[in-house]
């Protein structure tokens, strides 16, 4: 299904979605970053002058955090021995504005948490959630002027921003909507049909952009698998790691967590919280022995996991090239930075 | 348990509660009013979408079950819940009764580098106007009081001269006595990034800290030998003719006295004191003085000595001699430890000054404040925190109000501190957790943490920034400013502020350097760097540009004095104390944050393998460390990070408290204790 939407149509769609979903939209925060925040409703948006920030830099916080948050309650244990689990969501989430990298990350994490034994805490939030992808003329320029087209199956609805027309105001912007499944069709059925030729044109423009960094990851992966990278390299990289954990916390495909118990007279709240493999305690055993007991091993593992281990287990590199770890690393040793250095130095 | 709403529905921009770097992040919370996480502010001028491990976990302690939520009063020897009116009336009446009977100076007020500017202002107003004493101080006494004295004398302002962006524009960074990547991680990260672009790095630290691995030269001089090292470098600069003669002539005074004082500090003499090779001193000198623009960065390794002020003077002399002042990428840059230790000093939570360093001994300043507050004010400077502890132990200080500090673990010589606090007629504590200090209190007032109140904080680069309330306080806990307002009212001082913004409005009218700061201006941007004298002023990233704050930069000669207690036959090892990357000070917050606590769950001592061999100690073995003041047990961590002859113990852990051992030898001018040097003995348990 292909539809054509005006900005007004879009707001109408959002209002309708917000009745049945917790709809989160890209929103400009006071510091200038974009985050997925609750859609205030078109009336409130008009009154407060809030418009969804559909164009701009990638969403700051990894969108997978909405299904796998930094702190996630698991069970509550009462002193009388009874156990309660969190209530299911009163309505499912709808995340709007995900680019191709973010959607690829959700797909990866879906596979991870759906594998047996399935993670019911994740699936309780993920099941029934609606994903609205975004492509077309709404990037920040870092990938050219476009986000890349979204692969079918990664989202329910894809919104494609038409080329901005300088004579037109932002409110008159036009959108194409590609619908990938029945749920999407249910929401878009009432809108005007879009032009396949127009879609073809936008697709053609986007495809020519390409993703050069994909090849960089592949090269790095091959070098690592062929054991071409000596430990001295990892020693050097790890000496620049200040153990902030940011690379893990911002990574949309990182799924490691640890368990935290907090006890009051009312009982014990057990939650899971994001963990970081860059911490010494990540794999430290009760004896004190630590199979990842050096910075070198931990730094190497972070890159190996994404470029060697995950391809073996899941058939794909689990870095989606969202760029978050490179932006979050205080010392410049995010995934792309490390791979660039690695490929430059060890490609014969 | 509320699990049916998304947990990241709200995002509140605020300033990190840990170190003085001034990072901003969003606190994420759900509709249940619970914090669920942290996201660094991507566009903030300091954090730039990055945080350290503590910052990433800054939400984690906020809802901890140990949070104090009800006022408590000691009855029958135990703290018991009571109502606010009873608690506040008791605090006011008991402190007033002590003041009436023994004089106002028998009271001591501990303010806090963890609370806002507005709250520090109210605390010093409470001491001065409410109880007529200048006995108000806070933990800057333990960290950068030497800096405030040393830089005020030589330059006229005790704050970081430059701005953090300068790390991107410097040719050389000289880090001395600062483990920057662990204690100011985002600043340490910037230094590491700068090295990728040809900036040089000189590190002087007895420990092999991370920055040392990347340094062009790493000097492992003996703890406490800094004055000799810096004087030796300056003498060598003159020998090599690397001084900035034009700068010295135009912008400084007292150079001849300095030059004369340097004569004895030959490389050989300095080598004998510092344990370095003479050539290392010469090489380091040429590296520093050969840079066009060089930044000096220092922290506790410089200040926490019985000659801490002299250490700071020597560094200031070095910057002046080479003309590294008043330009981008230069300066003398003390890294302030706490998120608001700069602000607490700025707000006059110090015994000798009102806000903006206006002297209490100055009749005009006193008149200004007494007119504004409607109360006669005392003229004699008050007691420093460290002296107040001694005075309490001796019985001349009898009542204390301590807000957001834990001197039981943070002050040197814990035995003396316990004696002092137990000796008091009355102790009231305002805090968020039942700290070791709160356990000794007669009244405990439960406060709001950073995530539960509005306010402003001033970072190490003098950047005044907003903190914003994201969630409600637990139970009946109240924001510190509300507690202080109530006490002020009970003292008959008008304090009916409706918000911290109103308090700031009062501060700005009394404080020239904060004159142009308002909540409205702080709302939109990235804060304002003082001095910011009026509403149109853009703030001042770099101090001393045309001239120093005091006019001419003053060379202040120093002579080498060894630490008060050096290793000897009975106590043969040197004890160095400090912090780890994952814990904060006395651990009240970080030891209640799961990931941080898990990373460093136990007290430990870094021991050099060479010493360990002689002592027959293996890694992770329980050891006993003793000094003349006490003895503790903790685990040994064998590492080359410490040189042979030295052990390092972080002071976070109550069960292996480094400050049982430390020496309360104080710098005569700043009152700072010698946390970095004392003599200990190590034995296997």
């Amino acid at each position: 299904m292909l539809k054509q939407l005006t900005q007004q149509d879009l707001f109408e769609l959002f209002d309708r979605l917000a009745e049945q979903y917790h709809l989160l939209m890209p929103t400009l925060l006071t510091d200038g970053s974009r985050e997925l925040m609750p859609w205030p409703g078109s009336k409130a948006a008009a009154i407060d002058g809030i418009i969804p920030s559909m164009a701009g830099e990638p969403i700051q916080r990894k969108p997978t955090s909405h299904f796998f948050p930094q702190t996630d309650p698991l069970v509550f244990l009462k002193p009388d021995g009874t156990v309660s689990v969190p209530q299911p969501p009163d309505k499912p989430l709808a995340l709007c504005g995900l680019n191709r990298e973010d959607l690829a990350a959700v797909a990866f994490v879906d596979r991870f948490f759906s594998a047996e034994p399935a993670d019911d805490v994740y699936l309780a939030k993920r099941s029934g959630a609606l994903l609205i992808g975004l492509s077309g003329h709404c990037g920040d320029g870092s990938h050219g002027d476009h986000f890349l087209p979204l692969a079918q199956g990664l989202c329910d609805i894809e919104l494609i921003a038409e080329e901005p027309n300088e004579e037109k105001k932002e409110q008159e912007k036009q959108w194409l909507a590609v619908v990938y499944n029945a749920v999407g069709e249910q929401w878009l059925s009432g809108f005007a049909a879009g032009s396949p030729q127009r879609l073809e044109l936008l697709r053609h423009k986007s495809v020519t952009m390409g993703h050069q960094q994909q090849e960089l990851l592949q090269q790095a992966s091959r070098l690592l698998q062929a054991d071409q990278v000596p430990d001295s390299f990892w020693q050097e990289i790890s000496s620049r790691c200040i153990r902030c954990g940011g690379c893990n916390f911002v990574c949309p495909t990182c799924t490691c967590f640890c368990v935290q118990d907090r006890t009051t007279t009312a009982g014990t709240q057990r939650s899971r919280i994001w963990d970081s493999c860059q911490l010494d305690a990540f794999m430290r055993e009760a004896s004190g022995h630590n199979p990842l007991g050096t910075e070198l091993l931990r730094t190497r593992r972070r890159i190996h996991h994404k470029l060697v281990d995950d391809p073996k287990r899941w058939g794909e590199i689990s870095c989606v090239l969202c760029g978050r770890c490179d932006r979050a690393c205080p010392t410049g040793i995010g995934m792309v930075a490390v791979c660039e250095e690695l490929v430059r130095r060890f490609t014969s | 348990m509320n699990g049916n709403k998304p947990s990241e529905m709200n995002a509140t921009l605020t300033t990190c509660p840990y170190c003085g770097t001034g990072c901003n992040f969003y606190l994420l919370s759900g509709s249940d009013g619970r914090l669920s996480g942290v996201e660094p502010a991507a566009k903030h001028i300091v954090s730039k979408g990055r945080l350290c491990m503590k910052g990433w976990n800054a939400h984690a302690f906020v809802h901890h079950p140990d949070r104090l939520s009800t006022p408590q009063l000691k009855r029958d020897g135990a703290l018991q819940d009571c109502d606010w009116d009873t608690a506040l009336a008791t605090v006011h009446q008991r402190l007033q009764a002590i003041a009436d009977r023994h004089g106002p100076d028998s009271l001591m007020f501990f303010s806090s580098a963890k609370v806002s500017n507005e709250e520090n202002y109210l605390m010093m107003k409470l001491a001065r106007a409410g109880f007529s004493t200048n006995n108000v101080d806070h933990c800057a006494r333990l960290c950068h009081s030497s800096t405030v004295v040393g830089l005020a004398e030589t330059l006229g302002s005790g704050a970081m001269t430059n701005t953090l962006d300068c790390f991107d524009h410097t040719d050389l960074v000289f880090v001395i006595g600062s483990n920057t990547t662990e204690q100011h991680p985002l600043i340490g990260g910037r230094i590491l990034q700068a090295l990728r672009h040809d900036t040089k790095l000189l590190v002087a630290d007895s420990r092999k800290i991370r920055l040392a691995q990347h340094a062009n030269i790493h000097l492992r001089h003996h703890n406490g030998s800094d004055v000799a090292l810096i004087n030796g470098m300056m003498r060598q600069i003159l020998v090599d003719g690397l001084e900035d003669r034009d700068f010295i002539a135009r912008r400084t005074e007292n150079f001849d006295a300095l030059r004369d004082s340097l004569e004895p500090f030959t490389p050989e003499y300095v080598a004998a004191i510092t344990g370095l090779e003479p050539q290392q001193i010469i090489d380091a000198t040429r590296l520093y003085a050969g840079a066009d623009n060089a930044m000096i960065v220092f922290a506790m390794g410089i200040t926490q000595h019985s000659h801490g002020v002299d250490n700071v003077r020597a560094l200031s002399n070095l910057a002046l001699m080479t003309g590294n002042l008043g330009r981008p990428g230069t300066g003398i840059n003390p890294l302030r430890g706490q998120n608001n230790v700069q602000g607490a000093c700025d707000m006059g939570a110090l015994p000798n000054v009102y806000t903006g360093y206006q002297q209490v001994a100055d009749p005009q300043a006193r008149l200004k404040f007494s007119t504004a507050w409607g109360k006669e004010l005392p003229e004699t400077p008050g007691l420093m925190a460290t002296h107040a502890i001694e005075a309490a132990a001796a019985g001349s200080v009898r009542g204390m109000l301590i807000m957001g500090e834990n001197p039981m673990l943070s002050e040197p010589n814990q035995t003396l501190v316990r004696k002092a606090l137990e000796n008091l007629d009355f102790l009231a504590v305002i805090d968020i957790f039942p700290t070791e200090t709160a356990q000794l209190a007669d009244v405990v007032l439960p406060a709001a943490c950073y995530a539960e109140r509005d306010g402003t904080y001033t970072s190490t680069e003098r950047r005044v920034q907003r903190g914003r309330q994201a969630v409600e306080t637990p139970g009946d806990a109240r924001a510190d400013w509300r507690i202080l307002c109530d006490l002020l009212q009970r003292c008959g001082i008008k304090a009916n502020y409706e918000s911290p913004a109103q308090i700031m409005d009062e501060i700005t009218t009394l404080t020239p350097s904060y004159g142009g700061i308002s909540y409205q201006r702080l709302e939109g941007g990235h804060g304002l760097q003082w001095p910011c004298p009026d509403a149109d002023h853009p703030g001042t990233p770099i101090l001393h540009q045309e001239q120093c704050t005091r006019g001419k930069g003053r060379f202040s000669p120093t002579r080498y004095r060894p630490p008060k207690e050096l290793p000897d036959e009975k106590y043969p090892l040197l004890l160095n104390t400090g912090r780890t990357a994952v814990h904060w000070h006395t651990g009240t917050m970080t030891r209640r944050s799961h990931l941080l606590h898990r990373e460093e769950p136990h007290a430990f001592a870094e021991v050099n393998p060479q010493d360990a061999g002689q002592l027959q100690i293996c890694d992770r073995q329980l050891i006993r460390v003793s000094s003349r003041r006490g003895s503790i047990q903790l685990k040994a961590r064998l590492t080359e990070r410490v040189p042979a002859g030295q052990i390092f113990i972080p002071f976070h852990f109550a069960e292996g408290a480094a400050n049982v051992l430390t020496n309360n030898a104080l710098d005569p001018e700043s009152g700072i204790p010698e946390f970095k040097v004392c003599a200990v003995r190590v034995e296997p348990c």
Side-chain angles (χ1 to χ4, degrees):
Chain A
M1 183 188 277
L2 179 65
K3 296 288 183 179
Q4 177 85 33
L5 279 73
T6 63
Q7 189 87 346
Q8 196 182 344
D9 292 337
L10 206 58
F11 280 24
E12 191 186 318
L13 172 65
F14 293 155
D15 280 345
R16 282 164 47 195
L17 286 169
E19 288 172 15
Q20 291 199 25
Y21 294 92
H22 285 293
L23 174 62
L24 304 183
M25 301 290 302
T27 305
L28 204 59
L29 298 189
T30 47
D31 80 319
S33 58
R34 293 199 314 146
E35 294 286 13
L36 295 180
M37 299 306 293
W39 167 242
S42 57
K43 279 184 188 161
I47 292 165
D48 297 337
I50 299 168
I51 53 163
S53 181
M54 301 288 274
E57 294 183 20
I59 304 295
Q60 169 67 15
R61 193 164 181 84
K62 58 182 180 184
T64 46
S65 75
H66 294 285
F67 306 125
F68 172 50
Q70 195 168 355
T71 311
D72 205 2
L74 299 177
V75 292
F76 192 78
L77 310 150
K78 291 182 185 160
D80 64 6
T82 56
V83 173
S84 60
V85 296
Q87 299 161 29
D90 56 348
K91 42 186 185 178
L93 278 161
L95 306 186
C96 177
L98 308 190
N99 63 16
R100 188 170 79 163
E101 293 79 16
D102 286 344
L103 287 167
V106 175
F108 181 86
V109 176
D110 280 351
R111 282 176 69 190
F112 179 85
F113 280 125
S114 302
E116 287 300 327
D119 187 297
D120 55 345
V121 180
Y122 176 86
L123 294 178
K125 297 184 183 68
R126 178 68 180 91
S127 300
L130 191 75
L131 299 181
I132 303 174
L134 198 58
S135 67
H137 291 274
C138 51
D140 69 333
S142 65
H143 298 164
D145 286 334
H146 307 73
F147 285 165
L148 294 167
L150 312 177
Q152 186 161 353
L154 288 178
C155 61
D156 302 289
I157 300 165
E158 177 183 356
L159 292 173
I160 309 166
E162 293 259 33
E163 195 163 10
N165 183 336
E166 284 181 12
E167 290 170 19
K168 288 185 178 177
K169 293 177 184 166
E170 180 70 13
Q171 285 80 356
E172 293 167 27
K173 195 166 185 168
Q174 296 285 316
W175 300 81
L176 286 176
V178 182
V179 183
Y180 289 115
N181 55 29
V183 180
E185 283 180 15
Q186 172 199 330
W187 291 104
L188 270 297
S189 59
F191 294 102
S195 152
Q197 293 79 14
R198 190 73 205 128
L199 177 65
E200 196 57 34
L201 194 66
L202 282 165
R203 288 284 194 236
H204 179 71
K205 275 188 184 179
S206 298
V207 167
T208 57
M209 302 299 301
H211 212 317
Q212 294 132 356
Q213 289 178 338
Q214 290 283 3
E215 179 50 30
L216 177 74
L217 287 190
Q218 297 288 351
Q219 279 179 284
S221 175
R222 286 193 293 271
L223 285 167
L224 290 170
Q225 291 187 51
D227 203 16
Q228 294 292 302
V229 183
D231 275 0
S232 57
F233 175 78
W234 298 113
Q235 182 63 54
E236 205 181 308
I237 298 294
S238 66
S239 77
R240 282 153 58 192
C241 173
I242 59 169
R243 203 169 36 152
C244 73
C247 51
N248 297 129
F249 298 145
V250 300
C251 178
T253 63
C254 272
T255 46
C256 288
F257 60 84
C258 62
V259 170
Q260 163 191 283
D261 288 340
R262 283 194 165 161
T263 302
T264 62
T265 49
T268 296
Q269 172 67 63
R270 171 162 289 188
S271 307
R272 66 177 173 193
I273 57 179
W274 290 351
D275 207 338
S276 165
C277 58
Q278 299 308 290
L279 288 171
D280 184 71
F282 181 72
M283 287 188 78
R284 191 193 297 150
E285 296 170 3
S287 67
H289 171 68
N290 193 343
L292 277 181
T294 67
E295 290 173 341
L296 182 157
L297 291 171
R298 293 193 286 273
T299 302
R300 189 176 68 177
R301 179 196 189 276
R302 170 168 69 91
I303 307 291
H304 259 253
H305 194 97
K306 303 284 183 200
L307 299 189
V308 179
D309 298 341
D310 276 338
K312 281 184 189 160
R313 182 175 177 192
W314 302 104
E316 59 181 302
I317 286 173
S318 57
C319 170
V320 296
L321 284 168
C322 71
R324 287 188 178 84
C325 61
D326 282 286
R327 292 192 293 273
C329 178
T331 67
I333 51 169
M335 177 64 82
V336 169
V338 169
C339 287
E340 279 174 348
E341 206 160 327
L342 188 155
V343 167
R344 179 169 52 78
R345 282 164 61 171
F346 301 106
T347 304
S348 50
Chain B
M1 178 172 45
N2 192 333
N4 66 349
K5 293 267 197 296
S7 59
E8 298 182 359
M9 298 286 274
N10 306 301
T12 308
L13 183 64
T14 197
T15 303
C16 182
Y18 287 113
C19 80
T21 302
C23 296
N24 272 29
F25 54 64
Y26 285 93
L27 281 170
L28 305 173
S29 60
S31 55
D32 57 353
R34 309 277 292 181
L35 296 179
S36 58
V38 160
E39 181 68 31
K43 303 292 180 188
H44 186 257
I45 192 163
V46 176
S47 27
K48 299 176 192 282
R50 297 154 189 172
L51 288 173
C52 72
M53 182 54 81
K54 291 190 291 286
W56 273 107
N57 286 280
H59 63 294
F61 70 84
V62 173
H63 305 302
H64 194 279
D66 289 349
R67 280 293 301 276
L68 296 171
S69 59
T70 311
Q72 293 176 309
L73 185 66
K74 190 168 271 177
R75 291 192 190 104
D76 306 324
L79 285 167
Q80 296 178 14
D81 289 354
C82 69
D83 62 76
W84 270 104
D85 192 54
T86 305
L88 288 164
T90 305
V91 172
H92 172 245
Q93 287 161 12
R94 293 287 301 274
L95 291 176
Q96 191 58 57
I98 292 169
D100 290 345
R101 185 157 176 207
H102 302 285
D105 291 341
S106 59
L107 299 179
M108 180 69 202
F109 295 81
F110 275 67
S111 198
S112 172
K114 274 279 158 282
V115 304
S116 67
N117 286 321
E118 293 77 3
E119 287 157 340
N120 274 288
Y121 173 79
L122 293 182
M123 184 60 140
M124 76 103 180
K125 186 173 177 178
L126 180 69
R128 294 184 160 123
F131 289 96
S132 301
T133 179
N134 284 315
N135 286 354
V136 56
D137 204 358
H138 71 286
C139 69
R141 187 63 48 206
L142 308 178
C143 65
H144 269 296
S145 55
S146 314
T147 303
V148 175
V149 175
L151 292 188
E153 179 196 327
T154 54
L155 306 178
S157 171
M160 181 166 168
T161 62
N162 283 52
T163 188
L164 294 178
D165 276 346
C166 282
F167 288 107
D168 304 337
H169 310 290
T170 188
D171 301 308
L172 178 135
V173 185
F174 177 17
V175 177
I176 180 162
S178 159
N179 186 0
T180 324
T181 57
E182 294 200 5
Q183 301 314 328
H184 298 84
L186 269 281
I187 299 176
R190 283 176 96 140
I191 294 174
L192 284 175
Q193 293 264 38
L195 303 186
R196 312 281 292 164
H197 305 104
D198 295 331
T199 298
K200 301 274 193 299
L201 177 63
L202 170 60
V203 171
D205 200 306
S206 59
R207 293 169 80 215
K208 204 183 283 179
I209 56 173
R210 182 176 304 285
L211 283 180
Q213 298 173 39
H214 298 267
N216 296 80
I217 295 178
H218 176 205
L219 303 174
R220 300 188 83 177
H221 63 308
H222 293 321
N223 280 30
S225 66
D226 306 271
V227 164
L229 173 63
I230 305 303
N231 281 353
M233 288 175 70
M234 285 191 284
R235 185 184 178 281
Q236 189 62 37
I237 285 171
L238 297 179
V239 168
D240 289 344
L242 291 171
E243 74 273 24
D244 187 337
R245 287 172 200 160
D246 179 53
F247 187 91
I248 293 168
R250 277 191 305 111
R251 295 208 36 193
T252 68
E253 62 189 29
N254 208 32
F255 179 65
D256 291 345
L258 176 80
R259 186 175 50 210
D260 294 347
S261 74
L262 298 175
E263 200 44 48
F265 292 91
T266 63
E268 292 71 23
Y269 175 67
V270 173
I273 295 173
T274 56
L276 301 169
E277 295 296 323
Q279 193 60 40
Q280 286 180 287
I281 297 154
I282 296 169
D283 292 345
T285 302
R286 290 173 181 164
L287 185 65
Y288 173 79
D292 290 338
N293 297 294
M295 294 176 79
I296 296 172
V297 169
F298 72 94
M300 306 298 89
I302 282 295
T303 59
Q304 290 179 334
H305 291 278
S306 58
H307 48 266
V309 177
D310 279 348
N311 283 350
V312 175
R313 283 190 181 109
L315 286 176
S316 191
N317 292 339
L318 179 64
L320 287 171
M321 177 182 277
T322 48
N324 277 309
L325 198 72
R327 302 194 312 279
T330 67
I332 173 157
N333 299 288
L335 300 184
R336 305 303 300 257
Q338 302 249 22
N339 69 330
N340 202 35
V341 68
Q342 183 64 56
C345 293
D346 298 345
M347 291 301 106
L350 295 170
N352 60 333
V353 288
Y354 303 114
T355 61
Y357 307 94
Q358 300 169 83
Q359 302 285 329
V360 297
D362 174 4
Q364 280 190 327
R366 211 162 53 245
L367 179 66
K368 179 164 105 176
F369 280 86
S370 68
T371 306
W373 294 345
K375 187 84 191 285
E376 281 292 310
L377 297 175
E379 62 181 83
T380 315
L383 284 173
M384 298 173 181
T386 40
H387 289 148
I389 294 290
E390 293 172 348
S396 59
V397 162
R398 292 165 174 269
M400 276 193 197
L401 174 60
I402 298 177
M403 170 170 67
E405 293 211 347
N406 188 13
M408 268 300 292
L409 278 191
S410 60
E411 296 264 343
N413 193 353
Q414 194 183 82
T415 311
L416 176 77
V417 180
R418 177 175 286 279
K419 182 185 168 196
L421 297 182
E422 287 180 344
N423 209 21
L424 293 169
D425 294 344
F426 181 74
L427 171 63
V429 168
I430 305 173
D431 215 314
I432 61 171
F433 284 116
T435 64
E436 291 72 14
T437 304
Q439 310 289 334
L440 300 176
D442 298 289
V443 175
V444 178
L445 304 174
C449 78
Y450 79 102
E452 297 154 355
R453 51 176 157 71
D454 289 328
T456 61
Y457 303 93
T458 306
S459 75
T460 189
E461 56 172 350
R462 297 168 280 104
R463 189 181 297 282
V464 185
Q465 307 191 93
R466 278 294 314 275
R468 293 180 183 82
Q469 180 175 3
V471 290
E472 295 297 326
T473 50
D476 292 334
R478 288 184 185 172
D480 305 65
W481 66 272
R482 291 187 187 278
I483 298 170
L484 295 169
C485 283
D486 189 295
L487 289 172
L488 277 162
Q489 300 268 33
R490 285 170 196 265
C491 290
I493 308 292
K494 192 178 163 200
N496 55 344
Y497 309 100
E498 286 173 12
S499 67
Q502 280 191 353
I503 305 170
M504 180 51 81
D505 289 344
E506 181 174 315
I507 293 168
T508 56
T509 61
L510 292 165
T511 315
S513 56
Y514 276 64
I517 288 166
S518 65
Y519 273 48
Q520 196 184 356
R521 288 189 76 190
L522 298 179
E523 209 50 51
H526 304 293
L528 287 163
Q529 287 172 282
W530 68 253
C532 179
D534 59 64
D536 298 322
H537 195 284
T540 310
I542 299 175
L543 297 178
H544 316 304
Q545 291 192 54
E546 300 303 323
Q547 60 169 11
C548 293
T549 306
R550 71 180 294 279
K552 293 226 168 178
R554 180 175 179 78
F555 285 106
S556 181
T558 55
R559 64 185 178 84
Y560 169 69
R561 285 179 288 141
K564 291 287 184 196
E565 184 185 85
L566 283 166
D568 54 24
E569 219 164 85
K570 199 168 178 198
Y571 296 96
L573 293 173
L574 184 148
L575 170 67
N576 185 6
T577 67
R579 305 183 297 189
T580 65
V582 293
H583 280 306
W584 188 255
H585 287 205
T586 66
T588 50
M589 299 183 293
T590 52
R591 296 195 81 191
R592 292 180 173 92
S593 302
H594 183 83
L595 279 189
L596 304 177
H597 173 63
R598 189 191 66 170
E599 189 70 354
E600 292 288 6
H602 305 298
F604 66 90
E606 290 181 355
V607 181
N608 185 281
Q610 191 182 317
D611 293 327
Q614 287 174 6
L615 294 161
Q616 298 192 313
I617 289 167
C618 63
D619 198 29
R620 303 201 294 270
Q621 181 178 338
L622 199 63
I623 56 172
R624 181 180 299 110
V625 183
S626 311
S627 77
R628 289 184 174 81
R629 291 154 294 279
S631 183
I632 58 171
Q633 290 187 7
L634 69 180
K635 287 187 172 182
R637 181 174 294 175
L638 270 51
T639 171
E640 301 276 358
R641 253 162 69 106
V642 281
Q646 180 186 127
I647 67 166
F648 173 84
I649 303 180
F651 70 94
H652 314 299
F653 304 96
E655 68 278 18
N659 283 322
V660 167
L661 307 170
T662 49
N663 189 3
N664 54 313
L666 305 180
D667 181 290
E669 296 166 276
S670 68
I672 204 166
E674 193 144 61
F675 285 120
K676 297 298 186 194
V677 182
C678 75
V680 292
R681 182 175 65 238
V682 173
E683 302 149 298
C685 281

